[in-house]
Amino acid sequence: MPAPESDQYDSFATEYEEHAAVAPYNALYDRPATLELIGDVKGKRVLDAGCGPGFYTAELADRGADVLGCDAAPQMVELARARLGDRADLRVHDLDQPFDWIEDMTLDLIVVALVYHYVNNRAGLLGELNRMLRHDGAVVISTHHPAGDWHRLGGSYFSVEPVTETWSKGWEVTAWRMPLTQLTGEFADAGFLIERLVEPAPLPEMATTHPDSFQ
C-alpha cells in the first residue's frame, strides 16, 4: 500500500473547504473539542501545522494569537490566505520536511488538527515540534480514533499501515492507521509529556441536525 501523499487534498481543496465548514465531524465534533483544549492564546505565538483552508488559523487569529500556518497543498494555503488576509504568516510546507523557516524555541503552541495520520516522517515532525516549542510550550493534536479505524476497516487493531479509502464525495484519501499504543508512544519517544487524552462527545445540536452521525 502506498504511503500518503502530503498534498493529496490539493485537487479537491475548494470542495473540502465547503464540506468541512458544515460537516458534523468537523464543525460539531473536532473543531469545538480541539478549540476547547487550545484555550486562551491571546499574545501567544502559535503554529497551525497542516492548516488546510484556515478554519483553525482564523479562530486562533480571532483569539489574539500571533499565527503562523502551513499546509503541503498549495490550494489549501491559497484558501487560508483568502480567509485570513494579512493576519497570519501562511506558507506551503510539507510536514515531513524540516521547518527551516522557524527558529528554535520560538513557539508557545502548535496545533496539529486532523493531519497527523497523513504524516509519513512522524518522528521527524515530532522532533521539529519539540525543537520549535518554548520550554513551557504545548502541542494540541486531533486525529482519528484507533478504535474507529479498526471498527471501519477491520483487520488487526494493532496494524500500523497506510490505508487508502474513497470517501462518499469520491475523494481518494490515504492515511495511516495505528493503535493507541503506537500513537502515544511516538509522542513519548519524542520527549513529550501527554497531559490529557480526550475522547470528546459531539455538540448536542448534532443529535438534531445529523442524528445518525451523533449516534
Side-chain angles (χ1 to χ4, degrees):
M1 183 69 66
E5 295 183 4
S6 57
D7 62 348
Q8 62 185 310
Y9 276 65
D10 202 53
S11 63
F12 52 87
T14 300
E15 292 83 358
Y16 177 79
E17 178 185 37
E18 296 170 354
H19 165 80
V22 296
Y25 185 85
N26 301 89
L28 301 176
Y29 183 70
D30 180 76
R31 279 203 297 276
T34 304
L35 289 169
E36 183 178 357
L37 278 174
I38 288 170
D40 183 16
V41 293
K42 187 175 182 179
K44 294 184 178 181
R45 193 165 191 245
V46 182
L47 170 65
D48 186 0
C51 66
F55 291 117
Y56 284 98
T57 329
E59 182 67 30
L60 292 165
D62 289 344
R63 294 184 179 194
D66 174 15
V67 187
L68 300 83
C70 65
D71 200 280
Q75 289 301 315
M76 286 293 194
V77 175
E78 287 304 310
L79 292 170
R81 285 173 177 160
R83 175 168 277 106
L84 282 110
D86 61 358
R87 296 193 299 148
D89 179 359
L90 298 168
R91 308 191 185 200
V92 177
H93 179 84
D94 184 343
L95 297 188
D96 283 324
Q97 302 301 320
F99 284 81
D100 53 10
W101 47 285
I102 299 179
E103 296 179 350
D104 295 359
M105 294 187 294
T106 56
L107 299 177
D108 299 296
L109 177 71
I110 301 173
V111 179
V112 187
L114 294 181
V115 70
Y116 189 75
H117 41 276
Y118 300 125
V119 177
N120 298 310
N121 182 19
R122 295 187 300 277
L125 171 63
L126 291 172
E128 282 291 272
L129 302 188
N130 216 339
R131 174 188 68 78
M132 295 184 289
L133 280 171
R134 296 188 171 105
H135 290 308
D136 59 349
V139 174
V140 174
I141 172 179
S142 68
T143 190
H144 292 176
H145 195 298
D149 286 345
W150 181 40
H151 180 75
R152 188 179 71 260
L153 299 169
S156 171
Y157 169 80
F158 294 99
S159 294
V160 179
E161 62 185 1
V163 176
T164 299
E165 299 180 89
T166 301
W167 292 0
S168 60
K169 294 183 179 294
W171 305 333
E172 188 174 273
V173 177
T174 302
W176 284 89
R177 66 179 293 187
M178 66 188 81
L180 193 60
T181 296
Q182 177 75 23
L183 176 62
T184 56
E186 290 178 356
F187 277 81
D189 290 345
F192 285 97
L193 171 66
I194 299 173
E195 294 183 346
R196 292 186 65 190
L197 193 157
V198 179
E199 297 172 305
L203 293 186
E205 52 260 45
M206 192 193 292
T208 301
T209 61
H210 300 83
D212 291 343
S213 297
F214 182 82
Q215 290 302 322

